[in-house]
Amino acid sequence: MSFSSQGFSSDIVRALTECHYEKLTPIQQQAIPQIRRGNDILAHAQTGTGKTAAFSLPIIQQIIDKPKSLTRGSVRGLVLAPTRELADQIANNIKSFSKYTNISVVAVYGGAKMSSQERKLQAGVDILVATPGRLNEHLELGNVNLTNLESLVFDEADRMLDMGFINAIRTIMAGVSTHPQTMMFSATSSSQMNALAQEYLRKPQRIIVNAENSTASTVAHVVYPVEEERKRELLSELIGKKNWKQVLVFVNYKETANDVVNELKLDGINAVLCHGDKKQSARRRALEEFKTGKARVLVATDVAARGLDIQGLPHVVNYDMPFLAEDYVHRIGRTGRAGQQGHAVSFVSRKEELTLVQVEKLIQHRIRRVPLEGYEVDSRDALLSKMHSKPAFKNRQSRTNNANDQSSAESRLRVMQALKKRAKK
Ligand code: AMP
């Protein structure tokens, strides 16, 4: 299905052609006609399915169809997103789609100067992309008002709830006096999500791309069981041996991110960092280096990586399993985008096996375990049995030319048994 068949103006179609968008993705096929009819939407679609164009193209077209002069601080379309990276990315996408129109697009988010955002908001904007916290600051200062709002999008609504934005959302919604057409997008579903939908959507059309809470079907998932302390070594080895060219690595802690990057660098692999302690400008630079191929690996924490748009990313590695099974879906959304084949690798230590089971329940799919030679998780037991079968070890046990040997062999055995017991616990 082509974009011109959806009744989009030639200015939009021309811009889409430049973005190499030719056919609609499944979410676009389902959502665009519904949004064009004016319906509210509740869509379950993971990142990477093309949802940004799905909600923004109809909004752009509506603004073209009904030109209005903007009043001070007014907004016609509002997109709420959980993180600055995602807000920035959405705004950039909308700017590309509307480059042949005179639609104004502004992004506001925390961590950037209020004053420059204030200036951009003054004359009013056609489409505002915002994180909830920063939008509230601008609302309080009277820099922006939502009294003329026509369209409203909650993007990654589940993530906004996870990040505790519910009160900020309520405050924002209190200032919305019109009944804007409302679209809610989420990769996962939960009772809190459903409650939010019930509160703000009117007779929404439900759209589900793939099964709920599933990951893109073009992603090949694999689990490598590995001891925690050997993950760094394994990562370097895989990247080197398999000659992976562009790898996004997820870790749970900033400290781990720093350690992994240092370790990779020691192995001569160019890696960059993206975590919450890094300034926005540093994160952008890292992303740019990664995108352009200057850096082969980007090591990121969940919040910092949220919403990163890296087209055609071939490999995502869960160096740590995420704390929340839902985050697996979000992380994996970085690969296998818009119909391309992706590769999702998870390093799973013994203590992360439970999370793996939860992930499998969520995505309704058993992930293939591939034990790697030399990285066996039971390596302590394996090592012990190997040692017992080695002649050197046997000889050592049977040596009696030293009076102390017998007792030291016994004490070694006791240590081994204790080790074995601990490993079983
Ligand atoms: P999104 O889910 O909106 O983040 O989009 C995921 C990726 O797919 C982005 O890199 C988009 O530029 C790309 N994309 C979205 N729609 C299409 C389309 N119809 N054809 C080709 N690529 C697309």
Side-chain angles (χ1 to χ4, degrees), residues 3 20-25 28 47-52 89 309 311 337-338:
F3 285 95
H20 306 287
Y21 286 20
E22 281 155 21
K23 288 190 183 129
L24 281 78
T25 63
Q28 291 161 0
T47 329
T49 49
K51 60 192 167 65
T52 314
Q89 179 193 307
D309 177 28
Q311 238 172 315
R337 304 169 78 86

Side-chain angles (χ1 to χ4, degrees), residues 290-311:
F290 183 57
K291 274 185 166 183
T292 53
K294 242 185 178 175
R296 198 163 161 191
V297 184
L298 177 68
V299 182
T301 53
D302 288 283
V303 171
R306 197 79 198 134
L308 296 185
D309 177 28
I310 306 150
Q311 238 172 315

Side-chain angles (χ1 to χ4, degrees), residues 39-43 182 197-198 201-207:
N39 289 321
D40 280 4
I41 292 286
L42 176 57
T182 306
Q198 204 144 31
L201 298 175
R202 279 171 308 158
K203 295 189 188 153
Q205 296 296 311
R206 276 185 167 262
I207 292 172

Side-chain angles (χ1 to χ4, degrees), residues 80 132 136 139 154 161 165-176 192 195-197 199-200:
L80 290 175
N136 264 329
L139 283 167
F154 294 92
L161 293 175
F165 279 134
I166 186 65
N167 289 335
I169 290 173
R170 290 233 160 85
T171 315
I172 292 166
M173 292 307 286
V176 178
Q192 209 190 359
L196 188 76
E199 200 168 343
Y200 297 121

Side-chain angles (χ1 to χ4, degrees), residues 175-290:
V176 178
S177 46
T178 50
H179 282 294
Q181 181 181 15
T182 306
M183 296 150 252
M184 206 173 270
F185 288 78
S186 161
T188 55
S189 65
S190 66
S191 51
Q192 209 190 359
M193 248 297 300
N194 292 337
L196 188 76
Q198 204 144 31
E199 200 168 343
Y200 297 121
L201 298 175
R202 279 171 308 158
K203 295 189 188 153
Q205 296 296 311
R206 276 185 167 262
I207 292 172
I208 299 174
V209 174
N210 291 331
E212 272 189 45
N213 292 334
S214 79
T215 53
S217 55
T218 50
V219 177
H221 306 252
V222 62
V223 159
Y224 293 134
V226 56
E227 299 274 6
E228 191 59 47
E229 55 275 16
R230 302 209 53 207
K231 286 182 173 180
R232 283 193 227 167
E233 204 183 323
L234 176 59
L235 182 66
S236 270
E237 191 175 319
L238 285 175
I239 293 173
K241 267 196 184 157
K242 300 199 181 242
N243 202 17
W244 288 345
K245 295 273 191 276
Q246 199 184 28
V247 195
L248 175 57
V249 177
F250 280 101
V251 295
N252 290 346
Y253 301 104
K254 295 166 202 166
E255 296 74 26
T256 319
N258 293 330
D259 288 350
V260 172
V261 163
N262 290 338
E263 190 80 13
L264 290 172
K265 281 183 179 164
L266 283 177
D267 287 338
I269 297 169
N270 196 0
V272 284
L273 266 177
C274 181
H275 64 55
D277 279 356
K278 293 271 152 196
K279 280 201 178 131
Q280 179 74 0
S281 53
R283 292 196 219 173
R284 266 213 204 115
R285 215 172 28 249
L287 178 60
E288 209 42 47
E289 286 185 19
F290 183 57

Side-chain angles (χ1 to χ4, degrees), residues 114-131:
M114 281 292 278
S115 54
S116 62
Q117 295 180 353
E118 226 168 83
R119 268 196 306 278
K120 289 180 192 157
L121 294 171
Q122 253 169 20
V125 287
D126 287 307
I127 302 177
L128 176 64
V129 187
T131 51

